C-alpha cells in the first residue's frame, strides 16, 4: 500500500505489545496507540481512528469480542485483526460474528502477521492456515438443512419431493429420474403418508418451507 497503515495494538501483556510494535514499525507500519483491554481499545479506536486494530480476545477488564463488536459497529471503516492464543471454534466464530476481518494465532510468523495487517487494512478478510481449515471444515460438515427437515424420507423420496416442490407432474418426475410413472406414484404416496399431508398442494407448501424446490436433481 502506498499510504502508511495506522494500527492500534490491544493486548494485556506489555512485553507482547512492545514486541509486536517493534515488528510492525520495522515494516513501516505506524503504531498509533496501545490498549491493554477492551474498553480502552474502544475508546482509543474512536479517538485515533486507526486503519486496523490488532485485538487480543481474552483480557482482564473487558474482552476483545465485545470490543470488536463495538468498534466495527461504530467505525465500520476500521478493520479488526484478532491475534490470540485461542484456537477453539467458539472463539473463532464469536470473533467472526462480532465483525473481525481476520483471525491469527500468536504463534504466527512475522511475515504472516504483517501480511494480515495489510490485507485487513485493504478491506480483505484473512485467516491463518489452521483457522481457515477450521472454518472450511465447519461449513463442509454442516448438515444439509433440507435433509435434516425430512429425516423420515429416503434419498429418492427427497428427490421426488424436491421436484414436486418445483410443480413438476408425475410424468415429468418419471422422465427426470428415469423411473416408471407407477414407481413415482408409489413414492408420492409414501411421501404424503410420511409427511401427513393430504394432497400435492400441501406437500408443495411443506417442501418449500424447508427450502426444497430450488433446483432439479438429475441422475
Amino acid at each position: 500500500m502506498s499510504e502508511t497503515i495506522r494500527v492500534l495494538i490491544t493486548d494485556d501483556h506489555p512485553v507482547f505489545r512492545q514486541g509486536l510494535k517493534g515488528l510492525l514499525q520495522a515494516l513501516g507500519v505506524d503504531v498509533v496507540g496501545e490498549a491493554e483491554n477492551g474498553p480502552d481499545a474502544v475508546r482509543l479506536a474512536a479517538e485515533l481512528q486507526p486503519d486496523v486494530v490488532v485485538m487480543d480476545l481474552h483480557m482482564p477488564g473487558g474482552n476483545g469480542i465485545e470490543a470488536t463488536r463495538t468498534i466495527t459497529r461504530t467505525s465500520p471503516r476500521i478493520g479488526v485483526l484478532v491475534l490470540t492464543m485461542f484456537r477453539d471454534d467458539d472463539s473463532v466464530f464469536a470473533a467472526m460474528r462480532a465483525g473481525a476481518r481476520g483471525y491469527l494465532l500468536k504463534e504466527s510468523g512475522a511475515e504472516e502477521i504483517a501480511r494480515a495487517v495489510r490485507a485487513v487494512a485493504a478491506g480483505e478478510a484473512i485467516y491463518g492456515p489452521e483457522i481457515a481449515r477450521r472454518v472450511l471444515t465447519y461449513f463442509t460438515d454442516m448438515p444439509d438443512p433440507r435433509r435434516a427437515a425430512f429425516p423420515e424420507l429416503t434419498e429418492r423420496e427427497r428427490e421426488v419431493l424436491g421436484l414436486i416442490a418445483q410443480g413438476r407432474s408425475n410424468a415429468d418426475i418419471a422422465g427426470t429420474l428415469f423411473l416408471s410413472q407407477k414407481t413415482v406414484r408409489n413414492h408420492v404416496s409414501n411421501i404424503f403418508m410420511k409427511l401427513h399431508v393430504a394432497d400435492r398442494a400441501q406437500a408443495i407448501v411443506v417442501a418449500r418451507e424447508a427450502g426444497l424446490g430450488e433446483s432439479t436433481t438429475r441422475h
Side-chain angles (χ1 to χ4, degrees):
M1 295 180 64
S2 56
E3 297 183 359
T4 301
I5 300 170
R6 303 173 70 253
V7 171
L8 168 65
I9 297 173
T10 304
D11 196 286
D12 60 319
H13 293 97
V15 174
F16 182 81
R17 288 201 310 269
Q18 287 303 310
L20 181 59
K21 179 179 180 179
L23 164 68
L24 294 175
Q25 288 178 329
L27 296 169
V29 173
D30 184 11
V31 177
V32 295
E34 300 175 40
E36 62 180 17
N37 56 49
D40 284 350
V42 171
R43 177 179 57 80
L44 288 173
E47 176 185 329
L48 301 172
Q49 289 294 304
D51 301 304
V52 178
V53 176
V54 177
M55 182 76 72
D56 193 11
L57 288 186
H58 299 281
M59 299 170 287
N63 71 64
I65 297 295
E66 289 303 321
T68 296
R69 184 177 292 111
T70 301
I71 291 169
T72 57
R73 184 180 68 246
T74 57
S75 301
R77 61 163 291 279
I78 298 176
V80 175
L81 169 64
V82 171
L83 185 60
T84 182
M85 295 171 54
F86 294 89
R87 64 185 76 217
D88 60 286
D89 288 350
D90 287 346
S91 295
V92 173
F93 292 108
M96 291 173 65
R97 286 192 295 271
R101 288 188 202 159
Y103 197 110
L104 291 184
L105 299 176
K106 286 186 175 179
E107 63 196 45
S108 302
E111 290 185 5
E112 188 176 359
I113 294 173
R115 184 169 64 250
V117 167
R118 294 190 187 99
V120 169
E124 301 172 16
I126 187 164
Y127 302 94
E130 179 181 337
I131 302 304
R133 283 194 296 272
R134 284 166 118 26
V135 172
L136 181 61
T137 298
Y138 174 83
F139 287 109
T140 300
D141 291 346
M142 286 181 68
D144 186 338
R146 294 172 296 182
R147 176 172 297 186
F150 304 112
E152 65 271 51
L153 300 184
T154 66
E155 183 65 32
R156 179 62 82 186
E157 287 167 352
R158 276 190 290 270
E159 289 180 308
V160 171
L161 180 59
L163 293 171
I164 290 174
Q166 293 179 15
R168 307 283 288 276
S169 68
N170 283 1
D172 284 341
I173 294 172
T176 298
L177 300 180
F178 303 104
L179 301 172
S180 69
Q181 291 195 44
K182 180 180 178 181
T183 299
V184 171
R185 285 196 299 272
N186 289 339
H187 284 314
V188 171
S189 296
N190 289 337
I191 290 167
F192 289 0
M193 179 182 66
K194 290 180 179 181
L195 298 186
H196 306 289
V197 296
D199 54 31
R200 212 176 189 87
Q202 288 184 13
I204 289 174
V205 171
V206 169
R208 288 182 177 174
E209 285 179 346
L212 291 178
E214 299 170 355
S215 62
T216 300
T217 302
R218 295 182 179 273
H219 288 281

